[in-house]
Amino acid sequence: MQGLTGKPPIHGETLETLTAALKEHGEKPFRARQILEWLYKKRAATADEMTNLSKPLRAWLAETYEFAPTARLGAKTSSDVTDKFLLRLQDKSLIETVIIRAPQEGVGQDRSRKTVCISTQVGCAYGCKFCASGLAGWKRDLSAGEIVHQLIQVCRQEDPLTPRASDEIASFDNIVVMGMGEPLANYDNLLRALGIVNADWGLNLGARRITVSTSGLAPQIERLSQEPLGLRLAISLHGATDEVRQQIMPVNRKYPLEKLLPAAKTFADRHGRMITLEFILIREINDSMEQARALTKIARDLHAHVNLIPYNKVEGLPWVRPEIPRQDAFANVLREGRVSVTIRREKGHDINAACGQLRLQTEMAEGTIAPVPAKARA
Ligand code: SAH
Ligand code: SF4
């Protein structure tokens, strides 16, 4: 996918594709590594900064590739520890990237663990009834370069010092692919982008530090289990029976639990690492003790960790989170069943950190999309 300028983003190129393009242009193949080093280790924002390349080569790079496929419209910093970037793409679409900081015991805020949440599509086609990202439907997939460039934006804000002194090229510790969009519906671009993030010539971030979250596309989960990259997987379950899941996640019609759970099992068995089941708690929808018991059984069969997320209110939607005692009672059923469980009392609540909400508000304010009445979604 190319931007309006018609140029492919340079952050979507791999060592292989860049080498091939340089060769075709009559350049020495080793220039590819030099260029990638400028991009990732030295954080060059333009071809002009790449001073050990010839002027004609720099001019060719600038003509051939887009260096800034995303532009920051500003950040909202919450009173806790979350930063949310609203980014504009070349076709004027908006996406979001979030930094979540978890302070570490005994060290200052500057040494806090940083997790970056990235988007993979503009909008989302899956239309989960509780989610802001799905409200205006799907617009398009992000290209690999647009996915990688979100992380470059984070690195630039977090750590302007260049070049990087050590092998730690990324200015963050973990990535969660939990922003706008369904990552496994943009499979090829996602895998290409995460390959670039993982590569020693790219951001050099271990695949175990990357978690992909899916609403449950069973065939793509099977496919992902075959990949050598070794990514972590989170599944948005949100209902422990087909009846409950179907009410809030239309994807469950295509991939009901009898298809989804075996795919999850295949992934878990192949990787030998725990997968995570995400479970948003929504009052009177999925917060009953029967659901907790059914979820316990699923989690035990999969040997999965459960992440309970009290629902984050979305403007225009009728859902609310259960009271804290109810959340605790739900979690206790899982604990008593010896399931590993956390309740994410989420950070950044006050800046609308749940996926898609900032973009939704901006587009409504700009009049690009109309708000959806609550009744239509219920
Ligand atoms: N499409 C993927 C990844 C993006 S959504 C998926 O569905 O997994 C990332 C997570 O945010 C999902 O678990 C999703 O269910 C959750 N989410 C969406 N809207 C939310 C809200 N209003 N409150 C809390 N979590 C929400
Ligand atoms: Fe799409 Fe995930 Fe939101 Fe469902 S929860 S609409 S799959 S982004």
Side-chain angles (χ1 to χ4, degrees):
M1 179 76 203
Q2 300 182 356
L4 277 189
T5 54
K7 296 187 230 172
I10 191 150
H11 296 90
E13 298 299 318
T14 65
L15 179 60
E16 208 182 349
T17 59
L18 195 57
T19 304
L22 286 162
K23 255 196 204 157
E24 199 172 305
H25 184 60
E27 286 284 347
K28 297 266 185 301
F30 72 85
R31 296 282 179 210
R33 272 196 188 268
Q34 284 184 328
I35 294 165
L36 292 167
E37 186 165 320
W38 275 111
L39 279 182
Y40 296 105
K41 275 208 174 118
K42 301 184 190 162
R43 308 250 172 96
T46 62
D48 258 355
E49 291 166 46
M50 303 182 175
T51 45
N52 61 354
L53 305 182
S54 70
K55 274 207 167 143
L57 177 52
R58 282 186 254 164
W60 176 79
L61 284 173
E63 268 161 34
T64 311
Y65 295 106
E66 176 56 58
F67 277 70
T70 77
R72 252 178 93 178
L73 289 191
K76 271 193 180 183
T77 301
S78 101
S79 56
D80 56 22
V81 284
T82 309
D83 273 350
K84 190 154 194 163
F85 295 4
L86 188 61
L87 302 176
R88 202 183 281 286
L89 308 178
Q90 300 240 310
D91 66 356
K92 304 276 184 261
S93 299
L94 297 175
I95 56 164
E96 301 175 6
T97 306
V98 182
I99 310 174
I100 305 144
R101 299 171 214 279
Q104 287 177 15
E105 298 275 314
V107 287
Q109 176 74 28
D110 56 328
R111 297 290 305 278
S112 63
R113 196 161 52 88
K114 289 176 204 165
T115 299
V116 182
C117 176
I118 56 173
S119 296
T120 53
Q121 299 183 310
V122 182
C124 182
Y126 287 83
C128 301
K129 301 239 171 106
F130 47 80
C131 174
S133 292
L135 274 182
W138 174 87
K139 192 166 162 198
R140 70 170 173 88
D141 288 341
L142 298 190
S143 68
E146 288 169 328
I147 297 173
V148 174
H149 202 253
Q150 295 172 58
L151 298 160
I152 301 295
Q153 295 279 17
V154 170
C155 288
R156 288 208 181 118
Q157 155 163 310
E158 292 302 295
D159 203 355
L161 281 184
T162 57
R164 306 293 289 152
S166 67
D167 288 342
E168 267 186 40
I169 294 166
S171 305
F172 48 82
D173 306 283
N174 299 295
I175 295 175
V176 290
V177 188
M178 292 188 183
M180 199 193 303
E182 168 48 53
L184 296 189
N186 185 13
Y187 193 97
D188 292 340
N189 291 342
L190 175 78
L191 265 284
R192 181 172 171 132
L194 296 181
I196 293 168
V197 169
N198 175 248
D200 58 359
W201 47 260
L203 283 174
N204 200 26
L205 189 82
R208 284 158 187 247
R209 293 168 175 269
I210 307 173
T211 303
V212 174
S213 174
T214 177
S215 59
L217 309 194
Q220 284 91 328
I221 292 172
E222 302 257 4
R223 188 173 164 201
L224 196 67
S225 74
Q226 310 292 325
E227 300 284 350
L229 198 53
L231 301 163
R232 289 183 185 268
L233 182 69
I235 295 177
S236 295
L237 200 65
H238 309 331
T241 54
D242 282 324
E243 198 194 354
V244 168
R245 195 166 192 262
Q246 213 128 290
Q247 270 182 45
I248 48 178
M249 297 184 75
V251 67
N252 195 72
R253 281 184 204 285
K254 194 159 182 199
Y255 303 119
L257 296 178
E258 66 179 24
K259 288 195 177 142
L260 172 57
L261 298 180
K265 183 91 180 123
T266 305
F267 189 97
D269 289 348
R270 274 202 145 240
H271 283 251
R273 236 177 285 132
M274 264 189 157
I275 62 171
T276 299
L277 299 175
E278 308 271 346
F279 203 94
I280 306 180
L281 289 170
I282 312 176
R283 190 158 87 198
E284 282 166 25
I285 297 287
N286 64 0
D287 63 342
S288 71
M289 296 306 121
E290 292 84 72
Q291 281 289 298
R293 282 189 286 274
L295 178 58
T296 303
K297 181 170 182 327
I298 292 172
R300 285 184 61 94
D301 288 348
L302 290 174
H303 189 56
H305 175 82
V306 172
N307 197 5
L308 297 176
I309 312 155
Y311 181 64
N312 196 15
K313 186 97 186 95
V314 175
E315 199 68 39
L317 297 185
W319 323 103
V320 290
R321 55 175 57 182
E323 304 294 332
I324 287 188
R326 181 99 170 157
Q327 298 171 18
D328 288 339
F330 195 98
N332 281 337
V333 171
L334 288 150
R335 284 194 194 104
E336 279 157 19
R338 293 193 307 284
V339 171
S340 142
V341 57
T342 42
I343 303 191
R344 199 207 294 166
R345 309 246 193 246
E346 91 282 10
K347 303 179 190 321
H349 193 51
D350 56 332
I351 56 157
N352 307 314
C355 67
Q357 291 185 42
L358 182 59
R359 171 240 186 191
L360 186 76
Q361 283 175 356
T362 307
E363 293 201 332
M364 287 198 310
E366 288 178 347
T368 0
I369 55 173
V372 180
K375 263 191 277 162
R377 309 285 313 173

